[in-house]
Amino acid sequence: MGLFDRFKGQKGAEGPKAPEAAPEVWENAFKANINFYGKEGEETFGALVLTEGTETILPTTPWEKYGLDGKLVADWRLVLVSITGQGIIGMLDYRTAMEKLGPYIQDRREGLVLTRGLSLQEMKGLLGNHP
């Protein structure tokens, strides 16, 4: 199975309140795309991308909101992409990633978080890689 654009949305619960970002910050931030991947015979997983230096809007609990062919997908991953390194530097379980992203969250609203742009070193830190 390849990349799919078919997904459904539902409202979810919000986490703790972060300081509010100005509306234009939300408007100018990149809204992460929902992607689904998997091979025949393997469970499908959902993935969202966080790119180095890019303010990004991410759902807090995509496993509660998005699915494929009418079925929610339980396995979610955050893919970290470096502009400096020109490629994927790693992947994290989404639940773990949300915990580690706490210091980089600028704002929360309606089941979404707004992250500030992370440096390559900060992204490596999320993966547990230290320079």
Side-chain angles (χ1 to χ4, degrees), residues 1 4-10 34-37 41-46 62-76:
M1 190 179 330
F4 294 92
D5 291 328
R6 298 174 290 171
F7 58 89
K8 64 176 189 161
Q10 302 171 353
I34 306 290
N35 297 298
F36 296 101
Y37 299 95
E42 294 181 9
E43 188 172 333
T44 300
F45 69 91
W63 51 90
E64 293 178 357
K65 299 178 183 185
Y66 303 103
L68 183 62
D69 296 331
K71 183 180 175 188
L72 291 177
V73 172
D75 184 11
W76 285 86

Side-chain angles (χ1 to χ4, degrees), residues 1 3 8 17 22 24 34 48 50 61 80 93 115 117 125 130:
M1 190 179 330
L3 175 67
K8 64 176 189 161
K17 186 82 171 145
E24 60 272 8
I34 306 290
L48 292 116
L50 183 65
T61 54
L80 304 175
D93 169 76
T115 68
H130 302 288

